[in-house]
Amino acid sequence: MTEQSPPSAEYRIEDLAHISGTSVRTIRAYQDRGLLPKPERRGRANVYGDEHLERLRRTADLLDRGYTLASIKELLEAWDTGRGLGGVLGLVAEIDGPWSDEEAARITREELDAAFGGSPDEEALADAVELGVLERLPGSDDVFRVPSPRELAVAAELHSAGVPLTAISGHLRELRGQVEHIAARFLDFTTEYVFHPYLDHQPTEAEATEAAGLVRRLRPLAQQTVDAELARAMRTMATRYIHHHLGDISNVNNNSDISGTAPHPASTSTSATGTGTGSTAPEADLAPAVTATATAAETADADATMIALPAEAIRAVRDLVGQEHVAAFITAATRREVHARTMDELAARRTPPR
């Protein structure tokens, strides 16, 4: 006995629109553009089948993935001629898939305000939504979707360190443009050397599957390359910034009257007002002394003052700039602190306007 296939479902255009989640008008437009086969005519009624429903669902899926109607028509024609779409859709899925393992989160307005100092800032909120750092949820004014919790956490840390929210938004806009340039350059590079064999024609099923595998392999390379280069650049630039903002330590060491000599604590003890010799102190209690001598251009009194600093502070500075630069670094940092406090004092003396 021969097994019969189940009869194909039949739909009126209104039923097809309801089941597929589209509209009657859209179905007719697809028919006019050749995206949807014509229905079977029965008397005065048009009858649609499962193949129409599948085609509508496939079209909606491709539209969601960013394909144009013209491109969809080409793909569906290839499908009709026996060339499967599995490989093509697999390639699309690889490209459209997440390029990070980070998962989106949600945050309430109360939590958001608390993370940024506790005071609501409508302008900063609008900036965050415009930049896509926050996404409004339909029907809710107090809960937001956070596509990248890491990015929001960075903004919160910068703000807590004293960076204004407007400056953070401006920095993100500038950074985004630069990163998009890097992404475009990486895509140009891989297109030229990796994907060019697949781009001059409609890929076959096998070619699309192969290209999807290449995307899967190359996906992490962009981020790994940028991470490595950013770490290298930060290491290099941070050193330059220290020299720029604290002065050329090596020149200060060689050309000024500042001395970096660090006598052993067994032979030298220090106080905040002068120097002493001949006494001893346990190494754990007294750090190597740092002699800071003012230059003649700054003061006529060039007497050196020996100041004992905690051993852990000396070690931290030494690890940062090296033993030969310890004295110059501490001197420069002290001058910077004195300058900052002077500015704060002058600002505090200002009489507020009435």
Side-chain angles (χ1 to χ4, degrees):
M1 183 176 180
T2 304
E3 183 178 351
Q4 294 182 349
S5 301
S8 176
E10 295 182 348
Y11 312 97
R12 295 178 305 164
I13 190 169
E14 294 83 2
D15 297 330
L16 181 64
H18 176 73
I19 295 173
S20 64
T22 185
S23 66
V24 170
R25 183 178 179 181
T26 298
I27 292 175
R28 287 175 175 156
Y30 286 173
Q31 287 178 200
D32 294 340
R33 301 192 64 160
L35 289 165
L36 196 66
K38 292 183 178 181
E40 181 181 346
R41 186 75 176 178
R42 291 187 187 171
R44 299 179 61 182
N46 290 326
V47 178
Y48 297 84
D50 286 336
E51 70 275 11
H52 296 91
L53 179 60
E54 176 63 22
R55 182 67 64 95
L56 286 172
R57 288 173 172 170
R58 185 75 73 181
T59 300
D61 181 58
L62 291 170
L63 284 172
D64 288 342
R65 296 174 185 270
Y67 279 79
T68 65
L69 288 176
S71 299
I72 293 172
K73 183 179 180 180
E74 292 182 4
L75 289 171
L76 294 176
E77 287 174 351
W79 190 19
D80 290 339
T81 58
R83 291 161 56 191
L85 285 181
V88 173
L89 295 180
L91 173 59
V92 173
E94 284 296 334
I95 296 173
D96 288 348
W99 287 70
S100 168
D101 58 358
E102 187 175 18
E103 295 184 1
R106 292 191 179 191
I107 189 170
T108 65
R109 181 61 190 271
E110 183 179 0
E111 292 169 336
L112 187 65
D113 292 341
F116 287 88
S119 301
D121 190 325
E122 298 302 325
E123 183 180 353
L125 177 62
D127 265 353
V129 172
E130 180 187 349
L131 288 165
V133 176
L134 297 174
E135 295 178 356
R136 296 187 183 276
L137 295 176
S140 176
D141 294 330
D142 297 323
V143 181
F144 299 87
R145 181 177 181 271
V146 186
S148 174
R150 295 175 192 166
E151 189 171 50
L152 186 64
V154 169
E157 285 293 332
L158 289 173
H159 184 256
S160 67
V163 183
L165 289 175
T166 53
I168 295 174
S169 297
H171 174 71
L172 179 56
R173 284 187 174 90
E174 180 182 358
L175 179 64
R176 183 167 292 178
Q178 294 168 342
V179 171
E180 287 176 354
H181 173 76
I182 294 173
R185 184 66 191 92
F186 188 83
L187 290 172
D188 289 341
F189 174 79
T190 53
T191 297
E192 180 179 359
Y193 293 102
V194 179
F195 295 105
H196 66 90
Y198 311 100
L199 302 178
D200 59 351
H201 62 283
Q202 187 69 39
T204 65
E205 178 81 359
E207 288 175 331
T209 301
E210 183 178 14
L214 286 171
V215 172
R216 194 178 306 114
R217 285 171 49 198
L218 297 179
R219 181 194 299 272
L221 298 187
Q223 184 171 351
Q224 290 172 6
T225 301
V226 171
D227 286 348
E229 284 302 306
L230 179 61
R232 181 200 61 79
M234 288 298 295
R235 184 173 61 250
T236 302
M237 296 301 295
T239 301
R240 294 177 185 173
Y241 267 59
I242 287 176
H243 283 275
H244 175 72
H245 291 289
L246 297 182
D248 191 331
I249 297 175
S250 61
N251 287 342
V252 170
N253 230 22
N254 295 331
N255 299 328
S256 74
D257 293 330
I258 298 174
S259 171
T261 306
H264 193 278
S267 60
T268 303
S269 64
T270 65
S271 68
T273 58
T275 62
T277 59
S279 61
T280 61
E283 186 172 355
D285 297 334
L286 186 61
V290 177
T291 304
T293 306
T295 62
E298 294 170 339
T299 177
D301 183 5
D303 292 338
T305 300
M306 302 292 292
I307 301 174
L309 298 178
E312 59 269 25
I314 294 296
R315 283 195 295 270
V317 173
R318 184 182 61 220
D319 293 340
L320 179 64
V321 300
Q323 178 64 44
E324 66 275 21
H325 300 317
V326 168
F329 185 95
I330 293 176
T331 302
T334 302
R335 289 173 179 164
R336 187 175 183 180
E337 178 65 17
V338 170
H339 176 72
R341 294 193 180 192
T342 301
M343 297 295 288
D344 291 342
E345 183 178 352
L346 291 173
R349 290 178 183 176
R350 177 178 178 271
T351 302
R354 294 181 179 179

